[in-house]
Structure formats: structure tokens, C-alpha cells
Amino acid sequence: MSVTVGRVTRPPLQFATATSSYQVEGAVGEHGRGPSIWDTFCAQPGRIVDGSDGSIACGSYHRWSSDLDLLSALGVDTYRFSVAWPRVQPTGSGPPNPAGLDHYERVVDGLLERGIAPNVTLYHWDLPQPLEDAGGWPHRDTASRFADYATLVHARLGDRVRWWGTVNEPWVASFLGYAAGVHAPGRRDPAAAFAAAHHLLLGHALAAEAIRSADPAADVGLALNLTTVLVDDEEAFEPGEQIDALHNGLWLDPLRDGRYPRTVLDLAPLLGDPSVVRDGDLALVRGSVTWLGVNYYTPIRIASHGESHGGPGQEVAAFPGVAPFAVAPRGAVTAMGWEIEPLGLRDLLDRLHSWDPTMPLHITENGIALPDDVRRPDGSVDDPARIDYLRRHLAVVDTARSRGVDVRTYTVWSLLDNFEWAMGYTQRFGLVEVDPLTGERRPKASFTWLAEEIARRRDG
Ligand code: IFM
């Protein structure tokens, strides 16, 4: 179904699902892959709630072909997956490991054979451990190493991949990894987090530049976990602004204007050493994307006081300078404790349309964790709440498109139940259940619903 607004007719919404390397591949010691910060972090007692790790995960490194068959059965246009940096460069620098690149070449060719466009993410958090040992993302050199790695991957796959994502959710990688310490590498140092955020943006820009210098027509973007901040009482206004700046403005302002938001600059001396931002860095970041990926799950609802009910964003409360606040989800929540509010996506899309009406937007992640403890007579998971969540968010996307917002793709996180970082395997986001013992894939009711929805739109 194409949409026409005024004199502009937009092509039909594209559908996709997404995964990431460490969450699904397993095979961490195979074919020359080096250790990543997530291998190290998971090995530390108490880091992962169920004591698990991604060493086996969904086994997708070996089962990639049957996973791609699942995508064909769904009828998606695109598959968003990530390349594991330590498979390509086991130590994070130097010549490529051919076996690593061979694997991703097979995946890309397998997608193209099935008529599915690859959307390749270069960094979904599995930093090679030797680079962390050398300072990690707070260390400026990591940004240059990332650009070198991007060049290697592009040199092998660039003739077949048009659509590149540099970094996934730099907010999570920097603030949860280096300030809150709940993600790898588990550091609790706000100064390091701010430096990491800047170097992730710089690394993105350097990688985008490297890819474009090899192929000026390449479509290069990144995926941000943007959100709508809802403030419940007047006294929460200040923390609300600060959280909004750290979650959204910290990335959006440099990408469009080449400068950090005032609120972030006011916090920066408290957060860390503002001199990590060197002349010319933000000029490189400005205008560095030709598409923007939006990962939306939930709004962040902030109150000035009261018990924190958890949720994304609460961890930055630990920052010096951020006024005290509580995260207070209202109404229905997911198994992660995240408030379900599709209107948060509506407001976010409106905001992004004002931010840059010409920027193509792709929903690169949207989905819900559920207990998935009800089964149909054939044994498959019956997940009407997931269908309801996806249907309501999709309706918001359709409405936004009919009002002229240039949203091009709707991507469900995730194709498979997988390793949900610090939550291990306790959280299920997949359209497909994965048997923890045998690795067998069992599509859920939501898989069938999505396949039918995609077919209905295609035929209609
Ligand atoms: O599983 C993650 C993914 O890796 C990044 N975005 C959010 C998802 C759900 O928490």
C-alpha cells in the first residue's frame, strides 16, 4: 500500500526483523573469532541475571540458512543483522580474518538469493576485548579503529549491500556500559561515559566517511534508541529536560547541527572532560547520515519523587548534575517493566519530522518482551499481547505516513528469542521461540500474524 500526501506518493512501508551478532550467533570460539567485551563481562559472576552468556545463544552462526528461510516465510523485505567485529578483526585491528568475512558474505548472498535486502549494522556492542584493554570507547583511538574495520567489511560486501548502519544505540553502549556499569564493559565512571558517547559518534562519522569514499552512493545511517520523555509533575521538569537531552538531543543535535545541546554542555563539565571534543569532530558528524534508524519500545515517564519502578533511563540518575527523579511507568508494562504507550512513538515521529522533514526514517526496532507461557494445541506459543503491541505501533506508523512523515520501514525486534544482555535468556522478544536445548525454532502466533499482515498489504 503506497500513501499519497499532497502531491507526494510514497512507496509501501517495508517490513523487516532484526537480530544482533552476540545475541544470536553463539560459536564464540570458532573460526578465529577473538574475545569481545561481552564474553568477558558475562564471565564475571553476578553480571547476568541467569548467569548465562552468548557462547551458544541461538546457534545462528551455523543455522544462518534456516534462519533466512524463516525470513522468507515471513515475507519481509529486509533483514537487519550485525557483523561481529571480533570475527572480522579478532584483536580489533590489523588484517581481516577471512573466515569471519566469509560468514557474512554467505549471509548476504543468502538474503539476496531470497529477495531480501540486507541492512548491515557494523557495531552492536561486541567490542573486541583488546580494544577495551587499550581504553575502550572513552579512548579516541577506538573511533579510528572502528573506521578501519568498517572499511574492511565494506570492501568485501559493499558491492552487494547498499544499506549500512554504523552503530546501534550509542546511548546504551556509552551510558549503560561506562556509567551505569550494567552492560559490558561494566565500568561506573560518568566521565568515561561522556567520552565514550563522543567517540561513538566520531567513530560513526569516520566509518560513514570511509564507506562513502569507497562508494558515494552508499546509504549510511545509524540506529538510535530514541524515546519520548513524559514528565508527570512540574518539579520533574528539570530532570525531564536533562534525560531528554541525554537520550535524544545528545545524538540528534550533532547529526543535524554539528553541536551538542546546551543542556548536555551544561552537564558536560560535571560528566567528564569536555576537551575530548576536538575541533572538527562535530563538523564530521554533521550531515553524516542519509537515513535515521529509530529503535522505539517505550516512553520514559519521569516523576520528581517516589519509588523508581525501573525502566530504561533510570541508570543515568547516577550522573552528577542530573536532578533526582524516579522512573514511574503507568498502566500496562512489558516483562521488562517498560510502559506500553504507542503514542510515545507518535510524538517521537512528529518530533523527528520537525527535526528534519527530508530525512528518511526507518523503525529499526520495535517489539515486546513477554512471558510467552501460553501455548496453542499444536504446542506453539500463543502471544496475543505481542500481536496487540505490534498492531498498535504499526497503526501509529501508518498514521504518521498518511500525515507526511517519511517512515520507510517497520522492523520487529526480534526474529528469535535470544540473549537479552544483562537479562540473559529471561526475556523473550522473538517472533520465533528457540528451544534452549536443541535450538529448534518454533514460530509463535505473532509470526503467523505478521506474515499474514505483510501478505495482506502486498496483495491489497
Ligand atoms: O535486545 C535489545 C537490542 O540489542 C537493542 N535494542 C533493545 C533490544 C531489547 O532490549
Side-chain angles (χ1 to χ4, degrees):
M1 275 179 291
S2 51
V3 283
T4 303
V5 182
R7 272 188 273 156
V8 180
T9 300
R10 295 209 193 282
L13 182 67
Q14 306 248 320
F15 281 84
T17 68
T19 59
S20 85
S21 45
Y22 191 72
Q23 291 180 276
V24 301
E25 283 181 355
V28 293
E30 292 187 43
H31 302 156
R33 177 189 179 277
S36 82
I37 54 174
W38 273 95
D39 300 296
T40 308
F41 187 70
C42 292
Q44 295 164 1
R47 295 296 203 177
I48 311 298
V49 292
D50 58 1
S52 65
D53 58 38
S55 57
I56 297 175
C58 307
S60 294
Y61 183 74
H62 294 294
R63 292 175 179 258
W64 62 269
S65 181
S66 52
D67 285 350
L68 301 194
D69 290 341
L70 286 168
L71 297 173
S72 296
L74 261 178
V76 291
D77 306 283
T78 303
Y79 180 46
R80 177 172 178 255
F81 67 96
S82 77
V83 172
W85 188 348
R87 283 199 196 282
V88 173
Q89 287 180 302
T91 62
S93 56
N97 166 32
L101 286 171
D102 290 349
H103 170 71
Y104 296 109
E105 184 165 66
R106 283 191 288 271
V107 173
V108 165
D109 288 345
L111 285 166
L112 296 174
E113 279 159 21
R114 290 165 177 82
I116 299 169
N119 175 0
V120 176
T121 299
L122 289 163
Y123 185 69
H124 199 123
W125 310 345
D126 36 7
L127 185 72
Q129 182 61 42
L131 292 187
E132 176 59 26
D133 297 340
W137 283 109
H139 185 52
R140 190 176 174 90
D141 187 56
T142 304
S144 304
R145 299 284 68 74
F146 180 62
D148 291 349
Y149 150 71
T151 305
L152 293 176
V153 179
H154 183 267
R156 176 68 86 89
L157 304 177
D159 57 342
R160 280 151 287 175
V161 174
R162 304 294 326 147
W163 196 8
W164 295 89
T166 53
V167 171
N168 179 68
E169 300 182 4
W171 183 88
V172 174
S174 48
F175 291 116
L176 298 193
Y178 289 94
V182 297
H183 272 208
R187 284 163 65 178
R188 285 177 180 268
D189 176 359
F194 185 69
H198 179 69
H199 294 143
L200 277 153
L201 262 182
L202 181 64
H204 146 77
L206 292 170
E209 187 183 56
I211 291 172
R212 281 200 193 101
S213 71
D215 176 7
D219 234 345
V220 191
L222 85 178
L224 300 173
N225 56 318
L226 301 170
T227 189
T228 296
V229 177
L230 304 171
V231 172
D232 261 15
D233 56 78
E234 251 171 58
E235 285 155 66
F237 187 71
E238 193 190 350
E241 265 207 328
Q242 292 171 322
I243 297 304
D244 183 75
L246 289 169
H247 255 282
N248 301 317
L250 174 56
W251 321 101
L252 293 173
D253 286 19
L255 287 169
R256 188 190 61 184
D257 305 328
R259 59 167 184 264
Y260 284 121
R262 184 77 258 151
T263 311
V264 169
L265 292 177
D266 289 345
L267 288 170
L270 297 161
L271 292 180
D273 174 6
S275 71
V276 296
V277 184
R278 295 201 192 153
D279 281 353
D281 287 359
L282 292 175
L284 267 182
V285 173
R286 180 183 189 169
S288 57
V289 295
T290 52
W291 60 272
L292 183 71
V294 179
N295 295 359
Y296 175 86
Y297 291 86
T298 180
I300 300 179
R301 191 181 292 278
I302 290 182
S304 57
H305 47 260
E307 202 189 324
S308 171
H309 296 283
Q314 69 165 1
E315 298 86 356
V316 290
F319 276 141
V322 173
F325 67 94
V327 178
R330 193 188 287 165
V333 296
T334 74
M336 294 285 281
W338 298 352
E339 178 172 335
I340 299 172
E341 183 45 277
L343 295 182
L345 178 59
R346 178 199 62 184
D347 294 350
L348 177 59
L349 291 176
D350 285 348
R351 172 181 185 171
L352 292 172
H353 186 61
S354 313
W355 172 72
D356 183 352
T358 66
M359 179 64 69
L361 302 173
H362 298 269
I363 307 292
T364 34
E365 289 183 25
N366 178 239
I368 179 170
L370 289 169
D372 285 345
D373 49 6
V374 176
R375 292 186 183 273
R376 298 186 285 184
D378 67 359
S380 61
V381 167
D382 196 12
D383 53 349
R386 180 168 290 108
I387 295 172
D388 186 59
Y389 179 98
L390 299 177
R391 196 199 303 274
R392 290 170 65 202
H393 286 79
L394 190 51
V396 163
V397 171
D398 286 334
T399 307
R401 278 166 53 84
S402 68
R403 288 191 288 106
V405 183
D406 189 6
V407 189
R408 301 198 178 175
T409 310
Y410 178 73
T411 308
V412 175
W413 182 270
S414 174
L415 175 65
L416 305 171
D417 285 344
N418 58 50
F419 176 73
E420 178 54 27
W421 308 112
M423 304 305 288
Y425 296 96
T426 64
Q427 300 292 319
R428 298 175 181 83
F429 279 90
L431 297 166
V432 177
E433 182 185 23
V434 178
D435 187 297
L437 296 177
T438 65
E440 187 199 338
R441 274 63 168 150
R442 297 185 207 108
K444 304 177 189 176
S446 54
F447 180 97
T448 312
W449 170 80
L450 185 62
E452 287 172 0
E453 181 65 21
I454 294 170
R456 186 180 68 75
R457 288 171 180 243
R458 197 162 282 157
D459 303 340

PDB file of all heavy atoms in Angstrom, residues 8 23 50 56 84 91 151 153 174 214 241 272 274 293 295 409:
ATOM      1  N   VAL A   8       2.848  14.101  -3.052  1.00  0.00           N
ATOM      2  CA  VAL A   8       3.923  13.118  -2.875  1.00  0.00           C
ATOM      3  C   VAL A   8       3.322  11.728  -2.665  1.00  0.00           C
ATOM      4  O   VAL A   8       2.496  11.525  -1.781  1.00  0.00           O
ATOM      5  CB  VAL A   8       4.775  13.487  -1.635  1.00  0.00           C
ATOM      6  CG1 VAL A   8       5.900  12.480  -1.438  1.00  0.00           C
ATOM      7  CG2 VAL A   8       5.310  14.896  -1.771  1.00  0.00           C
ATOM      8  N   GLN A  23      23.883 -11.669  20.273  1.00  0.00           N
ATOM      9  CA  GLN A  23      22.627 -12.167  20.836  1.00  0.00           C
ATOM     10  C   GLN A  23      22.150 -13.471  20.188  1.00  0.00           C
ATOM     11  O   GLN A  23      21.380 -14.201  20.789  1.00  0.00           O
ATOM     12  CB  GLN A  23      21.534 -11.097  20.710  1.00  0.00           C
ATOM     13  CG  GLN A  23      21.796  -9.898  21.611  1.00  0.00           C
ATOM     14  CD  GLN A  23      20.724  -8.835  21.491  1.00  0.00           C
ATOM     15  OE1 GLN A  23      20.783  -8.004  20.599  1.00  0.00           O
ATOM     16  NE2 GLN A  23      19.745  -8.860  22.366  1.00  0.00           N
ATOM     17  N   ASP A  50      20.732 -14.552  34.911  1.00  0.00           N
ATOM     18  CA  ASP A  50      20.626 -16.014  34.993  1.00  0.00           C
ATOM     19  C   ASP A  50      21.990 -16.695  34.821  1.00  0.00           C
ATOM     20  O   ASP A  50      22.073 -17.900  34.591  1.00  0.00           O
ATOM     21  CB  ASP A  50      19.614 -16.543  33.963  1.00  0.00           C
ATOM     22  CG  ASP A  50      19.981 -16.147  32.525  1.00  0.00           C
ATOM     23  OD1 ASP A  50      21.033 -15.487  32.339  1.00  0.00           O
ATOM     24  OD2 ASP A  50      19.237 -16.495  31.597  1.00  0.00           O
ATOM     25  N   ILE A  56      26.531 -19.923  23.151  1.00  0.00           N
ATOM     26  CA  ILE A  56      25.756 -20.788  22.241  1.00  0.00           C
ATOM     27  C   ILE A  56      24.615 -19.987  21.628  1.00  0.00           C
ATOM     28  O   ILE A  56      24.356 -20.041  20.428  1.00  0.00           O
ATOM     29  CB  ILE A  56      25.226 -22.026  22.998  1.00  0.00           C
ATOM     30  CG1 ILE A  56      26.406 -22.857  23.488  1.00  0.00           C
ATOM     31  CG2 ILE A  56      24.291 -22.845  22.100  1.00  0.00           C
ATOM     32  CD1 ILE A  56      26.040 -24.037  24.347  1.00  0.00           C
ATOM     33  N   ALA A  84      29.913  -9.160  13.679  1.00  0.00           N
ATOM     34  CA  ALA A  84      30.708  -9.180  14.917  1.00  0.00           C
ATOM     35  C   ALA A  84      32.128  -8.709  14.596  1.00  0.00           C
ATOM     36  O   ALA A  84      32.868  -9.406  13.890  1.00  0.00           O
ATOM     37  CB  ALA A  84      30.734 -10.591  15.497  1.00  0.00           C
ATOM     38  N   THR A  91      41.517  -9.039  17.085  1.00  0.00           N
ATOM     39  CA  THR A  91      42.077  -8.181  18.131  1.00  0.00           C
ATOM     40  C   THR A  91      41.614  -6.738  17.991  1.00  0.00           C
ATOM     41  O   THR A  91      42.073  -5.855  18.698  1.00  0.00           O
ATOM     42  CB  THR A  91      43.619  -8.205  18.109  1.00  0.00           C
ATOM     43  OG1 THR A  91      44.046  -7.697  16.838  1.00  0.00           O
ATOM     44  CG2 THR A  91      44.170  -9.604  18.327  1.00  0.00           C
ATOM     45  N   THR A 151      35.854  -0.188   6.929  1.00  0.00           N
ATOM     46  CA  THR A 151      36.436  -0.220   5.579  1.00  0.00           C
ATOM     47  C   THR A 151      36.627  -1.662   5.106  1.00  0.00           C
ATOM     48  O   THR A 151      36.337  -1.998   3.955  1.00  0.00           O
ATOM     49  CB  THR A 151      37.796   0.528   5.582  1.00  0.00           C
ATOM     50  OG1 THR A 151      37.570   1.836   6.098  1.00  0.00           O
ATOM     51  CG2 THR A 151      38.401   0.619   4.201  1.00  0.00           C
ATOM     52  N   VAL A 153      34.987  -4.379   6.126  1.00  0.00           N
ATOM     53  CA  VAL A 153      33.707  -5.057   5.875  1.00  0.00           C
ATOM     54  C   VAL A 153      33.109  -4.534   4.567  1.00  0.00           C
ATOM     55  O   VAL A 153      32.627  -5.307   3.733  1.00  0.00           O
ATOM     56  CB  VAL A 153      32.732  -4.849   7.054  1.00  0.00           C
ATOM     57  CG1 VAL A 153      31.399  -5.550   6.771  1.00  0.00           C
ATOM     58  CG2 VAL A 153      33.322  -5.369   8.357  1.00  0.00           C
ATOM     59  N   SER A 174      27.364   3.615  25.605  1.00  0.00           N
ATOM     60  CA  SER A 174      28.163   4.538  26.424  1.00  0.00           C
ATOM     61  C   SER A 174      27.656   4.605  27.859  1.00  0.00           C
ATOM     62  O   SER A 174      28.426   4.365  28.803  1.00  0.00           O
ATOM     63  CB  SER A 174      28.197   5.935  25.789  1.00  0.00           C
ATOM     64  OG  SER A 174      26.905   6.366  25.412  1.00  0.00           O
ATOM     65  N   ALA A 214      34.527   5.080  -0.575  1.00  0.00           N
ATOM     66  CA  ALA A 214      34.598   3.917  -1.474  1.00  0.00           C
ATOM     67  C   ALA A 214      33.385   3.852  -2.384  1.00  0.00           C
ATOM     68  O   ALA A 214      33.468   3.350  -3.505  1.00  0.00           O
ATOM     69  CB  ALA A 214      34.700   2.633  -0.644  1.00  0.00           C
ATOM     70  N   GLU A 241      14.040  17.385  31.248  1.00  0.00           N
ATOM     71  CA  GLU A 241      14.818  18.032  30.175  1.00  0.00           C
ATOM     72  C   GLU A 241      16.201  17.409  30.053  1.00  0.00           C
ATOM     73  O   GLU A 241      16.718  17.220  28.948  1.00  0.00           O
ATOM     74  CB  GLU A 241      15.003  19.513  30.517  1.00  0.00           C
ATOM     75  CG  GLU A 241      13.989  20.402  29.896  1.00  0.00           C
ATOM     76  CD  GLU A 241      14.563  21.806  29.701  1.00  0.00           C
ATOM     77  OE1 GLU A 241      15.402  22.211  30.523  1.00  0.00           O
ATOM     78  OE2 GLU A 241      14.169  22.456  28.738  1.00  0.00           O
ATOM     79  N   GLY A 272      32.326  14.922  32.632  1.00  0.00           N
ATOM     80  CA  GLY A 272      33.648  14.476  32.215  1.00  0.00           C
ATOM     81  C   GLY A 272      34.482  15.620  31.687  1.00  0.00           C
ATOM     82  O   GLY A 272      34.236  16.769  31.993  1.00  0.00           O
ATOM     83  N   PRO A 274      35.332  17.980  28.896  1.00  0.00           N
ATOM     84  CA  PRO A 274      34.778  18.439  27.622  1.00  0.00           C
ATOM     85  C   PRO A 274      35.842  18.529  26.523  1.00  0.00           C
ATOM     86  O   PRO A 274      35.490  18.585  25.345  1.00  0.00           O
ATOM     87  CB  PRO A 274      34.217  19.832  27.945  1.00  0.00           C
ATOM     88  CG  PRO A 274      34.223  19.948  29.434  1.00  0.00           C
ATOM     89  CD  PRO A 274      35.223  18.966  29.958  1.00  0.00           C
ATOM     90  N   GLY A 293      17.817   5.491  11.854  1.00  0.00           N
ATOM     91  CA  GLY A 293      17.140   4.328  12.440  1.00  0.00           C
ATOM     92  C   GLY A 293      16.584   4.695  13.804  1.00  0.00           C
ATOM     93  O   GLY A 293      17.281   5.301  14.629  1.00  0.00           O
ATOM     94  N   ASN A 295      14.912   3.115  17.151  1.00  0.00           N
ATOM     95  CA  ASN A 295      14.549   1.954  17.968  1.00  0.00           C
ATOM     96  C   ASN A 295      13.632   2.465  19.072  1.00  0.00           C
ATOM     97  O   ASN A 295      14.073   3.191  19.970  1.00  0.00           O
ATOM     98  CB  ASN A 295      15.798   1.323  18.603  1.00  0.00           C
ATOM     99  CG  ASN A 295      16.742   0.730  17.563  1.00  0.00           C
ATOM    100  OD1 ASN A 295      16.469   0.764  16.362  1.00  0.00           O
ATOM    101  ND2 ASN A 295      17.858   0.197  18.027  1.00  0.00           N
ATOM    102  N   THR A 409      10.413   1.965   6.903  1.00  0.00           N
ATOM    103  CA  THR A 409      10.499   0.555   7.293  1.00  0.00           C
ATOM    104  C   THR A 409       9.947   0.367   8.699  1.00  0.00           C
ATOM    105  O   THR A 409      10.119   1.236   9.561  1.00  0.00           O
ATOM    106  CB  THR A 409      11.978   0.086   7.305  1.00  0.00           C
ATOM    107  OG1 THR A 409      12.594   0.454   6.077  1.00  0.00           O
ATOM    108  CG2 THR A 409      12.102  -1.417   7.491  1.00  0.00           C
TER     109      THR A 409
END
